[in-house]
Amino acid sequence: KKKTVSFSTMPNDRKINSTAACISFMLEGCELKKVRSNSRMYSRFFVLDADMRSVRWEPSKKDSEKAKIEIKSVKEVRVGKKTPVLRSNGLSDQFPDECAFSIIYGDNYESLDLVASSADVVSAWVMGLRYLVSYGKHTPEAPGTGHPSLRTSWISSVFDLADLEKSGRIPVSRAVQLIKALNPGMKTSTIELKFKELQKASERPGTEVACDLFVEAYCELCTRPEIFFLLVQFSSNKEYLGLKDLLMFLEVEQGMEGVTEEKCLEIVGKYEPSKEGREKGYLAIDGFTRYLLSADCSIFDPQHRKVCQDMAQPLSHYYISSAHSACLLEDNFWGRSDISGYISALGLGCRSIELVLWDGPEGEPVVYTSPSAASCVPFRAVVGLIDQHAFTASAYPLILCLVVRCSAPQQRLAAQCLRKTLGEKLYLEPPNPAASYLPSPEQLKGRILIKGKKLPPGCEDSEGEVSDEEEGWELARRLGQEEQEVPEGGGPRRVRLSRELSELVSLCQAVPFQDFESSRRGQRYWEMCSFSEVEAGRFANECPAELVSYNKRFLSRVYPSPMRIDASNMNPQDFWKCGCQMVAMNYQTPGLMMDLNAGWFRQNGACGYVLRPAIMREEVSYFSANAKDSLPGVPAQLLHLKVISGQNLPKPRGSGAKGEVVEPYVCAEIHGIPADCAEHRTKTALQSGDNPVFDESLEFQINLPELAVLRFVVLDDDYIGDEFIAQYTIPFECLQPGYRHVPLQSLAGEPLPHATLFVHVAITDRRGGGKGHRRGLAGRRGRRVREYTSTKATGIKAIDEVFRTATQPLREATDLRENVQNALVSFKELCGLTPAANMKQCILTVAAWLLHSDSAPSVTLNLAEKYPPMEAQGPIPDLLRKVLTAYETMIQTSRTLIESADAVYGKLIQAQQAG
């Protein structure tokens, strides 16, 4: 991994946390690189005039009157590479996106394109300029003077409450506790240090602090510049968000629908700390920060917190959360059998548990999976526990996988115990031979299914011989209980099975796997096979499409290789991508694989069942998990992820030294089908304390979104080896767009209090994402060749001919969709926005240009019409004309799509049904 270093000219101790600070920074001036249309860059010193009416730069060949831009002529300030000059080929790789910004000015919408040495410098200029553009006509005399702000009055009122003696001073220790209470997660030492610094600077040492010092300390410690920057972007007065500002932020940035002013008032009432703000409906910086940190603003979509998928499909159409030897708390062979392992697995929504039955010393069966005879648990106790906890976390069916290693008399006792303890919950109805699929989780709610062997139909005796499961023998060898030798001729082992136990098995009858062809011909829907990790892995690599096809009707369970004596876990994604429903995990072993499993099963109310992608369920669909690129009929998506900052990151475990500085970086990983697996990392945030700023954009293409999982890992950059700090894993389908906080977790999956990552998430379709700046002039002419979905020949003439009729409508459908996507992106780029932007942001941008211009033409948007036209009266500048033309193209391509879609879809459905 490449070690990267960030450099910054913004002095470290200088925190830009108010508009006043931005403006004073601009008044001092700094060096920026000016980019010309021929892609050359020149270093110039930029400064804001003392009267705050214009920005100048020097040296310049122009006379000083030309080397300046008047604030009142500025239409817009854009962050990032958002103009044709900055997107052009020559420059795109020379500097990161977050170091560029552009000033759009004048009646012809010219652009001044600039590159700064760091994102902090960009933030200061952009925030200051946006403030001045809003207040150009009535610039405040000097930033920071005048009446106290909403925030200052609120902090002062907090101070007054704490000033019990009403002396105008409070003890430093009390001041520290106050700030800690207002900002949980902040270290006491950080606050104490800040008071010492301020007392020294103002030459007022002592054990007490006055109100002004307290306010200053609070503002310096508790203002997050990146959130302040966001507030300034949306605030109409740059001080706080009014209800209309907040509404705009929620709709435009957070992608929320149907937001009302009442809803905004509710948010203000819940998060704004100042009484005045709550009464007037204002959300100032502290309330806004609290809101962004709250569960209401979590990255995880709240709709997925409850069961939100169709639960009426056959059982074989779901992934089922499964545990392997759940009673273990340690590794497989030295672990202690401890009954609490079952409780925690069931509490996490696990819906399939494995029980290996052995002969017990007292004449009744026991369960143990470790070689010490002292650690066995009576089977009765385990069943009692399952009865108690089976449905606490989920109402959907629980599958008990019985592996029988005990004698027939003890099997009878086990069967009696199951019947007696579980009673009505036990599902015993024989399968319906007329059906062709298993019942649904909805139909089996509250029931417990037994998976195991069954006596052959002709057997009348009280017990009989059945072929044995491979699973569980590794332990027998270690226990020295392996009396049954492998039979002559190397066939499968045989074991005795009692009728009582056999009768408990209904919908999950365990049968040995021969091959896919035999299964297709002879396997019945209630029969299921177990595969060892090695065998399943071989099928996944050699014949993935057959395995997917097999799993459409039958349940399959994959168990870890017996070589994993340390109870490590296999990667569940390797088998999920082939449709395997039950991948048995060692719940007691934390790490990447368990994170993937836990994260994955969060997406459907953590009920232990997740519906598989349609492409894996439909009778007529072909899917091979090893596809290298986009899949037929599944539109690929682009994930644009901006990792902005981290909050209250803990030290890595084991770094005991108090003075050790954490130098974190964030790694974002996508796990899914092989074509989607990727990881990108941010640069290391050097000496940044617990609250690093990364400000870096990452991009991923996702070909099968329904199977993709995003994992954030925070690591400490260290010469010896990067140490783990925290992680969070979330299914791609559960991501919420906009500005979000990621609640970080420990290695074992426990929440880390107050530790978060602040990110921005945007998802676009593939054409909507293509990296804007990579497509230079040549790229515009030779556009990407369209990929049309084709059909796969089956070799049966009649069927192939039917599907051939779908070729034309498939082409039409692709054209309709791609034309709309292309038109959308062109419109967004002309508005100076990224392809990740939405329509509301585009319209707002155009409106802002028109508002900031004295000579602007009047532009109307007629929303009464079904396809709203945007028209201008009078002469219009070139850029605006291009925007209007692009808008018109977008409306027309959308119209064609809307009006032709049903007919094309009809033809496709017709071909599919005929097929």
Side-chain angles (χ1 to χ4, degrees):
K1 291 228 181 94
K2 222 165 55 194
K3 302 271 176 182
T4 47
V5 179
S6 61
F7 66 98
S8 162
T9 55
M10 178 74 74
N12 271 349
D13 53 349
R14 174 164 191 172
K15 213 169 169 190
I16 297 281
N17 57 10
S18 67
T19 336
C22 295
I23 291 172
S24 53
F25 177 74
M26 289 159 65
L27 287 165
E28 287 168 32
C30 75
E31 198 165 284
L32 298 170
K33 288 192 173 78
K34 182 169 178 268
V35 185
R36 295 274 276 280
S37 53
N38 59 7
S39 296
R40 293 236 177 114
M41 298 209 278
Y42 303 90
S43 277
R44 298 283 182 263
F45 189 81
F46 282 77
V47 65
L48 175 67
D49 266 359
D51 64 2
M52 296 194 240
R53 298 249 158 92
S54 48
V55 172
R56 298 178 179 276
W57 57 94
E58 53 207 30
S60 168
K61 293 196 186 77
K62 299 178 183 170
D63 58 56
S64 63
E65 279 316 294
K66 281 193 179 157
K68 72 169 195 180
I69 290 178
E70 291 199 356
I71 297 289
K72 68 172 188 228
S73 73
V74 174
K75 302 277 183 273
E76 181 194 2
V77 186
R78 295 179 188 172
V79 186
K81 302 171 194 169
K82 305 269 177 64
T83 60
V85 171
L86 289 174
R87 281 201 191 103
S88 70
N89 283 352
L91 297 169
S92 58
D93 298 334
Q94 293 185 27
F95 49 87
D97 196 58
E98 44 278 342
C99 288
F101 70 106
S102 308
I103 302 172
I104 312 291
Y105 66 97
D107 288 338
N108 292 324
Y109 296 87
E110 294 164 69
S111 73
L112 171 64
D113 298 299
L114 302 167
V115 177
S117 56
S118 76
D120 292 342
V121 177
V122 173
S123 297
W125 275 95
V126 172
M127 205 173 341
L129 283 167
R130 284 180 178 166
Y131 181 81
L132 293 171
V133 169
S134 301
Y135 285 107
K137 315 262 183 320
H138 41 239
T139 310
E141 289 320 299
T145 57
H147 66 96
S149 70
L150 202 62
R151 185 184 201 194
T152 317
S153 356
W154 166 66
I155 303 166
S156 310
S157 70
V158 171
F159 178 90
D160 294 341
L161 284 174
D163 179 11
L164 306 172
E165 296 77 32
K166 297 287 170 265
S167 62
R169 305 174 70 76
I170 61 170
V172 172
S173 57
R174 195 182 302 163
V176 170
Q177 287 319 104
L178 255 185
I179 289 184
K180 206 170 156 59
L182 292 170
N183 200 338
M186 190 172 281
K187 291 186 180 150
T188 310
S189 55
T190 313
I191 308 172
E192 286 170 345
L193 194 67
K194 177 57 69 184
F195 278 120
K196 279 194 183 119
E197 271 173 33
L198 292 175
Q199 284 182 318
K200 190 177 175 189
S202 62
E203 298 179 352
R204 288 188 286 178
T207 54
E208 294 191 319
V209 290
C211 185
D212 59 333
L213 207 77
F214 178 76
V215 171
E216 194 180 342
Y218 178 87
C219 290
E220 285 192 23
L221 287 166
C222 304
T223 309
R224 283 175 46 192
E226 70 275 31
I227 292 186
F228 182 70
F229 187 46
L230 194 57
L231 179 120
V232 170
Q233 237 171 303
F234 281 88
S235 162
S236 34
N237 71 345
K238 310 295 172 230
E239 174 86 36
Y240 50 74
L241 296 174
L243 293 182
K244 286 201 165 52
D245 301 334
L246 180 57
L247 191 132
M248 196 75 89
F249 170 74
L250 296 177
E251 284 200 332
V252 171
E253 274 305 334
Q254 306 298 84
M256 284 169 68
E257 286 171 12
V259 190
T260 57
E261 287 203 5
E262 289 73 49
K263 172 72 188 160
C264 294
L265 201 55
E266 197 181 300
I267 290 173
V268 172
K270 193 168 171 186
Y271 297 105
E272 173 54 40
S274 73
K275 187 164 177 252
E276 186 190 349
R278 288 195 300 274
E279 284 167 0
K280 293 183 176 168
Y282 297 154
L283 196 61
I285 179 72
D286 299 287
F288 188 43
T289 306
R290 286 181 183 189
Y291 171 62
L292 287 173
L293 277 166
S294 74
D296 288 345
C297 223
S298 161
I299 189 167
F300 190 91
D301 185 344
Q303 286 180 317
H304 289 270
R305 293 192 196 283
K306 46 188 187 295
V307 175
C308 56
Q309 296 176 343
D310 173 9
M311 300 304 283
Q313 302 261 350
L315 210 54
S316 60
H317 286 180
Y318 297 85
Y319 295 111
I320 303 170
S321 176
S322 307
H324 177 247
S325 53
C327 62
L328 283 177
L329 288 185
E330 302 277 318
D331 61 44
N332 273 344
F333 288 109
W334 321 113
R336 307 181 310 285
S337 283
D338 179 335
I339 215 155
S340 67
Y342 288 114
I343 304 179
S344 69
L346 289 168
L348 291 168
C350 174
R351 295 287 83 196
S352 162
I353 282 182
E354 175 199 40
L355 300 173
V356 187
L357 304 186
W358 300 88
D359 278 334
E362 320 274 287
E364 66 168 309
V366 293
V367 173
Y368 60 85
T369 21
S370 75
S372 71
S375 66
C376 59
V377 181
F379 179 65
R380 214 165 7 107
V382 177
V383 177
L385 201 74
I386 289 172
D387 179 53
Q388 245 178 310
H389 297 276
F391 300 107
T392 47
S394 165
Y396 293 101
L398 174 68
I399 300 171
L400 296 184
C401 303
L402 295 189
V403 180
V404 178
R405 295 274 171 269
C406 60
S407 60
Q410 294 211 6
Q411 288 175 31
R412 288 187 196 104
L413 287 173
Q416 286 164 15
C417 166
L418 284 165
R419 276 182 191 270
K420 188 175 160 206
T421 313
L422 303 177
E424 289 294 298
K425 293 180 188 148
L426 215 49
Y427 185 89
L428 301 171
E429 292 138 50
N432 172 8
S436 42
Y437 280 102
L438 287 161
S440 69
E442 192 54 52
Q443 291 167 307
L444 295 169
K445 250 182 167 175
R447 306 304 289 272
I448 295 177
L449 279 56
I450 304 289
K451 171 206 171 258
K453 292 285 178 187
K454 216 165 164 55
L455 290 174
C459 173
E460 298 295 324
D461 304 333
S462 64
E463 55 185 77
E465 271 204 350
V466 291
S467 66
D468 186 24
E469 302 249 9
E470 270 304 292
E471 226 178 327
W473 274 117
E474 198 59 24
L475 180 70
R477 290 190 195 106
R478 300 188 177 233
L479 282 164
Q481 290 190 357
E482 194 184 11
E483 314 89 46
Q484 293 114 320
E485 279 308 313
V486 179
E488 300 279 319
R493 284 199 187 84
R494 313 288 291 171
V495 290
R496 304 291 294 172
L497 179 68
S498 78
R499 172 166 298 285
E500 284 90 335
L501 208 51
S502 165
E503 283 170 353
L504 296 182
V505 177
S506 155
L507 292 179
C508 298
Q509 182 182 339
V511 295
F513 179 78
Q514 257 92 37
D515 55 68
F516 291 118
E517 189 48 44
S518 314
S519 295
R520 200 167 69 219
R521 293 214 172 111
Q523 189 171 338
R524 290 164 305 187
Y525 73 83
W526 62 85
E527 296 176 329
M528 64 175 285
C529 301
S530 289
F531 302 93
S532 80
E533 170 188 355
V534 178
E535 189 182 14
R538 196 177 72 244
F539 293 143
N541 289 328
E542 292 170 11
C543 40
E546 279 93 330
L547 188 50
V548 170
S549 206
Y550 171 85
N551 284 321
K552 285 180 184 178
R553 276 192 62 197
F554 308 116
L555 283 177
S556 62
R557 178 172 185 274
V558 181
Y559 57 89
S561 151
M563 302 312 287
R564 292 183 181 274
I565 58 171
D566 56 351
S568 61
N569 275 309
M570 47 193 170
N571 184 344
Q573 285 274 4
D574 291 345
F575 308 103
W576 288 340
K577 70 180 186 192
C578 295
C580 297
Q581 297 86 349
M582 301 157 77
V583 181
M585 303 293 285
N586 288 306
Y587 269 61
Q588 70 278 18
T589 310
L592 164 64
M593 304 312 171
M594 207 49 218
D595 291 347
L596 291 177
N597 194 71
W600 179 250
F601 282 105
R602 260 187 218 130
Q603 67 183 293
N604 191 20
C607 75
Y609 284 82
V610 167
L611 189 61
R612 294 187 322 192
I615 198 168
M616 292 186 178
R617 308 192 307 262
E618 287 160 1
E619 278 293 344
V620 183
S621 68
Y622 166 80
F623 168 64
S624 162
N626 296 342
K628 289 284 171 279
D629 194 24
S630 57
L631 301 164
V634 182
Q637 301 200 313
L638 267 168
L639 169 64
H640 310 261
L641 190 64
K642 188 171 189 187
V643 181
I644 304 170
S645 59
Q647 290 72 45
N648 306 314
L649 298 180
K651 282 190 177 158
R653 281 178 69 174
S655 61
K658 247 192 148 168
E660 197 176 311
V661 179
V662 176
E663 300 198 326
Y665 65 92
V666 178
C667 203
E669 311 165 343
I670 292 284
H671 299 265
I673 59 170
D676 290 344
C677 292
E679 74 172 57
H680 295 309
R681 56 159 287 179
T682 65
K683 55 184 177 287
T684 300
L686 299 169
Q687 311 206 324
S688 56
D690 320 321
N691 303 312
V693 172
F694 302 104
D695 225 348
E696 216 164 320
S697 304
L698 316 172
E699 194 174 273
F700 298 91
Q701 178 172 316
I702 317 280
N703 295 296
L704 185 54
E706 291 172 281
L707 262 195
V709 175
L710 168 64
R711 180 171 186 255
F712 294 94
V713 194
V714 186
L715 295 156
D716 183 16
D717 199 335
D718 203 338
Y719 293 115
I720 304 158
D722 298 346
E723 287 188 88
F724 175 91
I725 296 176
Q727 64 84 25
Y728 182 73
T729 311
I730 179 172
F732 181 78
E733 301 275 284
C734 299
L735 287 171
Q736 290 219 87
Y739 288 93
R740 306 284 172 187
H741 279 92
V742 176
L744 294 171
Q745 298 181 337
S746 69
L747 192 59
E750 282 129 16
L752 294 166
H754 313 299
T756 50
L757 284 180
F758 187 46
V759 299
H760 182 267
V761 176
I763 295 164
T764 55
D765 45 56
R766 183 174 174 181
R767 165 67 186 100
K771 284 197 173 152
H773 55 264
R774 283 286 159 83
R775 287 201 333 275
L777 299 171
R780 295 231 182 248
R781 283 200 289 277
R783 279 240 298 280
R784 191 166 70 82
V785 182
R786 281 203 178 156
E787 294 167 11
Y788 292 105
T789 300
S790 58
T791 51
K792 185 177 187 284
T794 60
I796 302 163
K797 194 172 169 213
I799 292 182
D800 287 344
E801 278 176 4
V802 171
F803 282 129
R804 210 164 287 130
T805 63
T807 313
Q808 192 46 42
L810 279 171
R811 285 187 79 89
E812 287 173 43
T814 306
D815 287 339
L816 287 169
R817 192 175 71 201
E818 294 264 325
N819 291 347
V820 172
Q821 291 174 3
N822 291 343
L824 273 168
V825 171
S826 307
F827 178 58
K828 289 172 186 177
E829 286 188 350
L830 281 167
C831 291
L833 295 166
T834 64
N838 58 39
M839 213 25 63
K840 287 180 177 147
Q841 287 164 317
C842 297
I843 302 293
L844 276 176
T845 304
V846 179
W849 295 347
L850 298 167
L851 281 174
H852 292 148
S853 169
D854 298 335
S855 58
S858 98
V859 177
T860 56
L861 185 61
N862 182 358
L863 292 172
E865 293 195 25
K866 187 175 177 188
Y867 300 102
M870 198 188 315
E871 289 156 351
Q873 275 73 44
I876 51 173
D878 189 38
L879 177 72
L880 200 56
R881 180 178 297 106
K882 284 182 181 163
V883 167
L884 291 176
T885 314
Y887 175 82
E888 184 54 28
T889 311
M890 180 190 75
I891 291 289
Q892 287 314 324
T893 51
S894 303
R895 180 176 188 158
T896 314
L897 171 80
I898 292 165
E899 290 171 358
S900 329
D902 290 348
V904 177
Y905 182 67
K907 288 182 206 164
L908 289 171
I909 291 296
Q910 207 175 337
Q912 187 177 19
Q913 286 172 346

